Amino acid sequence: MLTIGAFAKASRLSPKALRLYDELELLRPARVDPETGYRYYAAEQLRQARLVAWLRRLGMPLARIRRVCALEAEPAAREIGAYWAGVEAETAARRDLAAFLVNHLSPSPGKDTSMLELRYSAHSDTGRVRAANQDSVHAGARVLAVADGCGPDGAHASTAAVRALTFLDDEPLSAGGVLNLLEDAVEGAAQAVADLVPRPATNGGGTGSTLTALVWTGSQLALVHIGDSRAYVLRDGGLLRITHDHTVVQSMIDEGRLTPEEATTHPQRAILLKALGSDANVPDLRLHDVRPGDRYLLCSDGLSTVVPDEGIERLLTSAPDPDAAVRALIGAANDAGGPDNVSCVVADVVEAAARPGGLRFSQDLSDQG
């Protein structure tokens, strides 16, 4: 038996921490002296103590550490992987916000993004298999959005989700306040979808909708995302996905239980963990810095499930303008069988033309659900 002092030194946990973990039933001593109350630990407890110390250094909450310590080695490893994937996602969102605040509060005369504008195009297609289109798209002066409805009233759900954002086309927006406006708009979208059918949308039987949208402030794009529609940016010849799917298979990939290749044929690949119209309706919200020459893509999973990222990158790179890109992408999805509705919005960040009337924007919403 080791005294609490010797055990603390060996495990690199302080006696104070060991007493706390005893009270929380996280790491109970092997024996407690009934007269003095002094704690003694067995040498074989060092492994668990060191695990607790390492997990605390990761910043894992005590309640989650308790769950990890109750698992066998392999499930414990998956649980740690899932926790760290969540930390990285949260850190990325906080990093983007910090970058915005630094940029917003530190004037930089050499970096003028006030003369940037968008050229865009949008289109939605039923595909070659589905009888109706449950997708909705929007491309306006400030709002670009794709929504993919699901369930018996999916078309109305996706339409309600998109319409809840379109008022932002007419709002004076600033990068400092757009996230608050967008958060309020998404709450309205969630309520509009929930009002259609009061059933959860993530269990395969209810009505709901994904929503992925970009809101242009004139210098930055605010991103809102929930579900498995996606947003990409083509920058400097490389394609980067800037959203994270809220699906069962994506969570399994994050936990190391599934490879991206296995996910493409997994029977649960269409099951959402988050959607408008469900209890899990909190979206990802963040600001995204833009550069002249960026090309952005929003799409429903009718594209991403049948056209790999390499194909999307090739088509976005080769298309001369957003309208050509949208049509090429939808054509590729239909050439691959068109098993689902497919919707795309493509927007280019360009330097504003110095001519009366500004840029002419392209918008095609035909065949919209």
Side-chain angles (χ1 to χ4, degrees), residues 160-348:
V162 169
R163 285 180 177 170
L165 298 185
T166 55
F167 79 95
L168 293 172
D169 272 333
D170 303 317
E171 287 287 320
L173 299 176
S174 67
V178 68
L179 288 182
N180 289 334
L181 278 173
L182 196 51
E183 186 172 16
D184 291 343
V186 173
E187 287 182 5
Q191 188 59 55
V193 173
D195 287 345
L196 292 172
V197 180
R199 289 185 292 168
T202 56
N203 65 0
T207 289
S209 181
T210 71
L211 178 63
T212 301
L214 292 168
V215 178
W216 175 243
T217 69
S219 61
Q220 290 183 306
L221 285 165
L223 170 71
V224 57
H225 167 69
I226 186 167
D228 63 351
S229 297
R230 291 182 175 181
Y232 296 86
V233 59
L234 183 71
R235 175 178 290 175
D236 298 329
L239 186 70
L240 174 67
R241 176 151 58 105
I242 58 175
T243 53
H244 196 71
D245 292 347
H246 300 139
T247 61
V248 168
V249 295
Q250 184 63 59
S251 69
M252 295 171 73
I253 293 171
D254 295 341
E255 295 167 7
R257 298 161 56 193
L258 205 64
T259 67
E261 293 74 22
E262 291 169 337
T264 60
T265 57
H266 196 278
Q268 294 182 313
R269 62 187 179 277
I271 297 181
L272 300 176
L273 294 177
K274 286 185 179 183
L276 297 178
S278 74
D279 292 334
N281 59 14
V282 179
D284 299 336
L285 286 167
R286 66 176 182 271
L287 286 159
H288 190 80
D289 286 328
V290 301
R291 298 180 188 173
D294 283 352
R295 173 167 283 181
Y296 288 85
L297 165 67
L298 306 180
C299 66
S300 61
D301 67 339
L303 176 71
S304 57
T305 56
V306 295
V307 180
D309 284 0
E310 296 80 7
I312 292 174
E313 179 178 341
R314 176 178 54 81
L315 293 170
L316 284 175
T317 302
S318 61
D321 55 57
D323 189 63
V326 164
R327 296 185 182 279
L329 290 164
I330 290 177
N334 285 330
D335 289 344
D340 198 356
N341 310 144
V342 55
S343 299
C344 298
V345 178
V346 174
D348 289 348

Side-chain angles (χ1 to χ4, degrees), residues 19-40:
R19 286 190 287 269
L20 173 63
Y21 297 160
D22 180 14
E23 293 171 7
L24 296 174
E25 299 184 358
L26 181 61
L27 183 63
R28 305 302 301 268
R31 185 174 72 85
V32 178
D33 190 294
E35 295 183 2
T36 65
Y38 210 72
R39 296 170 173 84
Y40 294 89

